[in-house]
């Protein structure tokens, strides 16, 4: 079971929800937690794992052997990201634009392209006191491509027999799609503001493409307006939880505490919500 | 000599476009016989690397000088490697025709 926690808008409380959900379920199920927000990972500040191992995360870049190259230009044509250019009698590679997809290598008719790894960040593995297996990707500052790290992180920790919780980056771009595309359920965290609603709609647009079941948590309930709730009712999208806006929560989070440590009553709320998530993803399987 | 100017429209009277990779049109102009042709820039539909694919378009069309408001680092690298000279204009309110005249009188800035 893979549950991805995403939002659209940044700062709505993804990490608060994902870490507290993981911690609430930790006694009952084997849990893996993957911090896929590789540009600003922070779940470790709340779950406090002991990091046992840190590996380099790499992107595979093409290298062209000009002695073999016939300058046919197929590699330039197949590159979706314009990372290659045919210039006179040379093929130029622009490493910062390369997504490491390997299309050029596969399509080269004369085998003139080989791949070499370029480090772009790290993957850390650890475990928490309550036995959550913890993984985190971290993109090196100035590197533009988060998706290869997210994919490697997910491959390294792949296990269908456990409950995996993926803390997604904000937004609705490639990095989010890389995180959520194979999830069994996407938990969307939003806030009742025009920004929250706008970005939530973008995420629902992404999910309509992947056809993944989803539900919404409204965080900071009580601020803003009722438009998020109206919209969700209109679209028949379930609201799984509402967390009121309270300064004590903000203060506790700023100290690095989990929501379930600040307000222990939430533990049973998260356990209940997990049952609801299982139910909702089953309904989707058998329409 | 074949030159190509980034343009906001497909006519010589239209304003030149200060953006290179994301300009709407490119005007290919032959200074030898004063013939010209407008091309819609396909790179504007791409999510990334527009400067590089625009540079590739210049190279594939035998251009010797590219003219725009500025050139990004990737376009600069690609055009330099392809031996295409780059020229820039400061005034964004000039037509393509005026820019061509400025190029011919040598009053554009060479971009290195």
């Amino acid at each position: 079971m893979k549950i991805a926690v995403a939002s659209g808008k940044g700062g709505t409380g993804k990490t608060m929800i994902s870490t507290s959900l993981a911690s609430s379920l930790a006694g009952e199920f084997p849990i893996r937690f993957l911090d896929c927000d590789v540009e600003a990972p922070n779940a470790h500040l709340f779950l406090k794992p002991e990091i046992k191992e840190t590996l380099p995360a790499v992107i595979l870049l093409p290298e062209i052997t000009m002695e073999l190259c016939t300058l046919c230009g197929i590699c330039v044509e197949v590159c979706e990201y314009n990372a290659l250019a045919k210039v006179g009698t040379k093929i130029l590679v622009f490493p910062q634009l390369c997504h490491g997809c390997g299309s050029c290598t596969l399509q080269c008719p004369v085998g003139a392209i080989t791949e070499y790894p370029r480090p772009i960040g790290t993957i850390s593995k650890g475990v928490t006191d309550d036995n959550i297996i913890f993984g985190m990707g971290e993109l090196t500052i100035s590197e533009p491509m988060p998706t290869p790290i997210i994919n490697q992180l997910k491959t390294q920790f792949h296990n269908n027999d456990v409950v995996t919780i993926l803390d997604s980056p904000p937004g609705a771009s490639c990095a989010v799609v890389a995180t959520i595309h194979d999830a069994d359920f996407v938990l969307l965290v939003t806030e009742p503001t025009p920004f929250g609603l706008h970005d939530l709609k973008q995420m629902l647009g992404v999910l309509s493409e992947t056809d993944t079941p989803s539900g919404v948590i409204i965080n900071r309930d009580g601020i803003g307006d009722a438009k998020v709730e109206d919209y969700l009712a209109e679209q028949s999208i379930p609201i799984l939880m509402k967390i009121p806006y309270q300064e004590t929560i903000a203060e506790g989070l700023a100290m690095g505490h989990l929501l379930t440590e600040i307000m222990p009553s939430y533990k049973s709320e998260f356990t209940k919500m997990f049952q609801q998530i299982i139910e909702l993803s089953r309904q989707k399987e058998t329409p | 000599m074949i030159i190509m100017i980034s343009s906001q429209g497909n006519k010589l009277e239209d304003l030149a476009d200060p953006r290179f990779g994301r300009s709407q049109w490119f005007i290919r102009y032959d200074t030898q016989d004063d013939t010209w042709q407008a091309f819609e820039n396909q790179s504007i539909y791409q999510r990334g690397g527009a400067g590089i694919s625009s540079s590739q378009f210049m190279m594939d069309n035998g251009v010797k000088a590219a003219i725009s408001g500025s050139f990004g680092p990737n376009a600069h690298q690609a055009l330099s490697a392809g031996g295409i000279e780059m020229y820039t204009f400061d005034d964004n309110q000039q037509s393509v025709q005026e820019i061509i005249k400025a190029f011919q009188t040598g009053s554009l800035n060479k971009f290195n």
Side-chain angles (χ1 to χ4, degrees):
Chain A
M1 175 88 188
K2 282 200 199 89
I3 303 171
V5 182
S7 68
K9 184 183 175 296
T12 56
K14 283 180 299 301
T15 303
M16 176 182 82
I17 298 297
S18 59
T19 53
S20 289
L21 175 63
S23 167
S24 302
L25 302 177
E28 297 175 53
F29 304 94
I31 304 287
R32 266 158 216 248
F33 185 98
L34 302 185
D35 193 344
C36 297
D37 188 2
V38 302
E39 287 174 89
N42 63 347
H44 59 288
L45 301 174
F46 298 94
L47 290 173
K48 303 178 181 69
E50 189 193 331
I51 300 295
K52 309 240 184 209
E53 195 185 3
T54 297
L55 313 163
V58 299
I59 183 169
L60 292 175
L61 294 187
E63 189 165 40
I64 291 135
T65 310
M66 288 317 298
E67 291 77 47
L68 297 174
C69 177
T70 59
L71 294 168
C72 69
I74 287 175
C75 56
V76 176
E77 276 167 43
V78 299
C79 183
E80 189 74 8
Y81 308 100
N82 293 315
L84 297 157
K86 186 173 112 176
V87 177
T89 56
K90 270 202 322 212
I91 302 287
L92 288 187
V93 182
F94 294 85
Q96 301 273 336
L97 292 173
C98 177
H99 284 227
C101 73
S103 296
C104 54
T105 313
L106 283 171
Q107 300 278 344
C108 178
V110 293
I113 305 182
T114 49
E115 291 176 337
Y116 69 97
R118 186 170 73 94
I120 56 169
T122 55
I123 286 173
S124 300
K125 299 175 170 185
V127 63
T128 68
D129 284 345
D130 47 359
N131 279 322
I132 297 170
I133 305 289
F134 182 89
M136 164 173 104
E138 190 162 17
L139 187 66
T140 303
I141 288 172
S142 87
E143 285 295 337
M145 219 67 77
T147 43
I149 300 196
I150 295 167
N151 292 335
Q152 271 172 68
L153 180 67
K154 289 173 71 177
T155 310
Q156 293 259 347
F157 285 87
H158 181 72
N159 184 343
N160 279 335
D161 301 329
V162 300
V163 177
T164 302
I165 294 169
L166 303 141
D167 192 15
S168 166
S173 62
C174 296
V176 175
V177 175
T179 305
I180 67 159
H181 74 91
D182 55 351
D184 300 296
F185 191 88
V186 176
L187 189 52
L188 296 166
V189 187
T190 191
E191 57 179 33
T193 64
F195 290 132
L197 177 59
H198 175 272
D199 291 5
L200 177 68
K201 282 182 185 168
Q202 288 195 324
M203 267 315 295
L204 290 168
V206 172
L207 292 178
S208 70
E209 297 280 328
T210 57
D211 205 26
T212 315
S214 63
V216 174
I217 291 185
I218 298 180
N219 189 21
R220 295 195 202 100
D221 188 36
I223 66 164
D225 54 38
K227 290 196 175 120
V228 169
E229 278 193 61
D230 293 347
Y231 180 77
L232 292 172
E234 212 174 274
Q235 302 288 317
S236 313
I237 296 161
I239 297 174
L240 303 182
M241 196 187 283
K242 288 191 211 172
I243 300 171
Y245 175 72
Q246 277 178 302
E247 263 179 38
T248 46
I249 297 178
E251 278 167 16
L253 292 172
M255 308 277 286
H257 300 314
L258 295 164
L259 176 61
T260 44
E261 289 167 345
I262 304 162
M263 295 187 168
S265 61
Y266 272 101
K267 190 173 150 61
S268 60
E269 299 284 321
F270 279 110
T271 320
K272 261 185 261 164
M273 185 181 72
F274 180 63
Q275 294 308 326
Q276 217 179 333
I277 287 174
I278 291 177
E279 206 48 47
L280 285 166
S281 33
R282 276 207 198 116
Q283 283 171 15
K284 193 85 177 190
E285 271 167 32
T286 50
Chain B
M1 180 183 192
I2 310 285
I3 61 176
M4 212 176 275
I5 303 100
S6 57
S7 170
Q8 297 181 32
N10 59 359
K11 298 185 298 297
L12 294 180
E13 298 75 41
D14 289 316
L15 287 180
D17 197 323
R19 299 165 304 171
F20 177 64
R22 300 279 175 191
S23 93
Q24 288 289 325
W25 294 84
F26 287 122
I27 308 285
R28 182 184 192 269
Y29 190 90
D30 190 337
T31 56
Q32 233 135 48
D33 55 14
D34 294 319
T35 54
W36 63 277
Q37 196 181 350
F39 298 90
E40 197 181 358
N41 181 13
Q42 298 302 317
S43 306
I44 56 171
Y45 301 112
Q46 293 174 1
R47 46 194 148 178
I52 295 169
S53 64
S54 296
S55 303
Q56 186 72 62
F57 183 72
M58 306 273 140
M59 289 180 260
D60 296 344
N61 278 279
V63 172
K64 294 289 173 232
I67 302 170
S68 189
S70 191
F71 298 90
N74 290 330
H76 179 258
Q77 193 189 336
L79 290 168
S80 306
I84 296 178
E85 293 185 343
M86 286 158 268
Y87 293 88
T88 60
F89 49 84
D90 300 320
D91 183 357
N92 291 344
Q93 295 304 315
Q94 291 188 93
S95 68
V96 173
Q97 197 138 42
E98 287 168 317
I99 298 284
I100 293 168
K101 218 165 273 166
F103 172 77
Q104 286 170 325
T105 57
S107 55
L108 292 181
N109 319 312
K110 183 112 198 271
F111 187 84
N112 291 310

